[in-house]
Amino acid sequence: MVHVRFTENLRRHVDCADDEVPDGATVRACLDAYFQVRPDVRSYVLDDQGAVRNHVVVFLDGAPIVDRRAQSDSVRAGAEIVVMQALTGG
């Protein structure tokens, strides 16, 4: 199982409880499994082309994913995916 977790800041905007999803080969496969249970979260995390939205960052085992467009980063069994709101400014 892969643990999918959302920061408290995102939970203020959308109902996105932490959950376990079946192991997936990619971040996208894991996110899709999560979105099957909570479809309203998808449009907050991904844009209409399926890419990670500009105001969102997805981490895989503590590191930002490389492929924001297709989320093709490989996922190991037992991994943790954390979705958080991106911070901008200075």
Side-chain angles (χ1 to χ4, degrees), residues 51-69:
V52 175
R53 289 190 177 277
N54 288 335
H55 68 278
V56 173
V57 178
V58 178
F59 289 87
L60 175 60
D61 290 332
I65 63 171
V66 175
D67 183 5
R68 292 180 52 88
R69 185 169 170 248

Side-chain angles (χ1 to χ4, degrees), residues 21-59:
V21 298
D23 292 335
T26 65
V27 169
R28 181 57 172 266
C30 294
L31 289 176
D32 282 346
Y34 182 91
F35 298 147
Q36 285 181 354
V37 177
R38 292 178 179 82
D40 293 343
V41 179
R42 185 183 196 284
S43 64
Y44 193 85
V45 175
L46 303 179
D47 65 19
D48 60 345
Q49 300 297 311
V52 175
R53 289 190 177 277
N54 288 335
H55 68 278
V56 173
V57 178
V58 178
F59 289 87

